[in-house]
């Protein structure tokens, strides 16, 4: 990695950590150079990297200012910022919305493109989910849950589909840890995964799409009911 990219990463981390909140100015070029023990030219190139992603903007005569994450144009920094926000519930809801858009379509394709090996792998991960749910093993449940969805996306037969979700890995794991710690959510998830698998095994695209859509809707409902606004 070029040194300028490394400095850009460091500055981005400082932005995400809140050292330089949105709307505030970055330290002057010389100050950043001293902080990171690099030349001003390296800092200048690092700032260009951040500008290219609209993470920062130049205000002539005033300095370099931090933009809000919703203005950023690069996916990885946005995901890093979302992962670091205290508003975990809101982030998880948005993640479910994104998943719903992609995974319902993936399930529809997978219904006619899945192989016997795909079905066997889905059954295996579903068994792991059942076992983990019964044992109250949240970590194992999350891993099996995510693995199930990864198989569905691969079974879509479209190589672009799994790549669409690859950058969301960290958020997906954290979001599922948050919800899967609740026994009722684990039970709901197992039931919906069973419906998705049954539809895929039947080779019915519309049934598979609806089953995955129902699963996403249940996931959103569970998040709101048990995590965002739990009722004692």
């Amino acid at each position: 990695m070029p040194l300028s990219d490394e400095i850009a990463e460091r500055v981005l981390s400082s932005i995400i950590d809140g050292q330089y909140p949105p709307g505030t100015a970055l330290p002057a070029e010389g100050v950043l150079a001293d902080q990171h023990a690099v030349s001003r030219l390296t800092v200048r190139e690092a700032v260009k990297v951040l500008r290219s992603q609209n993470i920062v903007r130049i205000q002539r005569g005033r300095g370099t200012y931090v933009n809000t994450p919703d203005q950023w144009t690069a996916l990885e920094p946005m995901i890093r910022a979302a992962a670091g926000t205290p508003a975990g519930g809101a982030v998880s809801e948005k993640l479910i919305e994104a998943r719903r858009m992609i995974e319902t379509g993936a399930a529809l394709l997978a219904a006619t493109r899945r192989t016997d090996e795909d079905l066997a792998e889905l059954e295996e991960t579903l068994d792991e989910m059942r076992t983990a749910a019964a044992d109250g093993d949240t970590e194992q449940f999350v891993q099996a849950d995510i693995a199930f969805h990864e198989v569905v996306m691969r079974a879509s037969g479209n190589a672009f589909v799994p790549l669409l979700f690859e950058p969301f890995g960290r958020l997906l794991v954290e979001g599922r840890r948050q919800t899967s710690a609740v026994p009722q959510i684990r039970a709901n998830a197992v039931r919906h995964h069973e419906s998705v698998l049954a539809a895929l095994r039947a080779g019915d695209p519309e049934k598979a799409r609806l089953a995955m859509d129902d699963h996403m809707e249940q996931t959103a409902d569970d998040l709101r009911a048990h995590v965002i606004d739990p009722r004692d």
Side-chain angles (χ1 to χ4, degrees):
M1 176 187 294
L3 183 56
S4 57
D5 287 352
E6 182 180 330
I7 300 306
E9 282 292 309
R10 292 184 194 175
V11 175
L12 174 61
S13 294
S14 296
I15 291 171
I16 292 172
D17 291 344
Q19 186 175 343
Y20 310 126
T24 62
L26 293 180
E29 203 173 80
V31 174
L32 285 174
D34 290 342
Q35 287 178 351
H36 298 283
V38 296
S39 69
R40 291 192 177 202
L41 177 60
T42 298
V43 169
R44 198 170 303 137
E45 292 300 315
V47 171
K48 283 183 181 179
V49 171
L50 298 176
R51 285 182 63 194
S52 72
Q53 300 171 340
N54 208 40
I55 294 169
V56 300
R57 67 186 183 279
I58 302 295
Q59 293 190 4
R60 299 296 178 187
R62 297 186 60 191
T64 302
Y65 285 77
V66 179
N67 290 324
T68 56
D70 61 352
Q71 295 176 290
W72 300 358
T73 56
L75 182 60
E76 178 61 26
M78 290 179 67
I79 291 173
R80 287 174 58 185
T85 182
V91 171
S92 294
E93 277 196 288
K94 291 184 182 299
L95 180 58
I96 292 170
E97 288 177 356
R99 289 180 61 193
R100 190 172 192 169
M101 293 173 65
I102 297 170
E103 294 201 54
T104 53
L108 184 148
L109 293 175
T112 55
R113 298 179 180 179
R114 87 291 183 276
T115 65
D116 290 342
E117 289 76 13
D118 291 328
L119 293 175
E121 191 171 356
L122 288 168
E123 186 62 59
E124 181 179 348
T125 58
L126 183 54
D127 281 342
E128 291 175 1
M129 288 178 65
R130 294 186 185 108
T131 299
D135 294 343
D137 188 338
T138 299
E139 189 63 30
Q140 183 57 39
F141 187 90
V142 168
Q143 295 304 320
D145 186 346
I146 293 173
F148 183 100
H149 288 270
E150 288 176 344
V151 176
V152 173
M153 287 188 282
R154 291 200 309 271
S156 71
N158 186 317
F160 291 102
V161 173
L163 294 177
L164 290 172
F165 252 35
E166 186 177 345
F168 291 95
R170 184 191 316 167
L171 275 181
L172 189 57
V173 171
E174 290 305 317
R176 294 308 290 151
R177 280 180 181 148
Q178 185 181 38
T179 56
S180 297
V182 180
Q184 184 58 53
I185 292 181
R186 292 198 298 267
N188 291 341
V190 168
R191 177 167 52 85
H192 280 277
H193 282 74
E194 290 171 344
S195 296
V196 171
L197 178 53
L200 294 176
R201 184 176 284 116
D204 187 327
E206 184 61 14
K207 185 177 179 181
R209 184 188 70 79
L210 290 174
M212 184 63 79
D213 192 61
D214 285 346
H215 172 39
M216 293 292 105
E217 181 67 25
Q218 183 66 57
T219 301
D221 288 345
D222 283 342
L223 177 71
R224 288 187 288 266
H226 296 280
V227 177
I228 296 177
D229 187 23
R231 297 173 182 174
D232 297 330

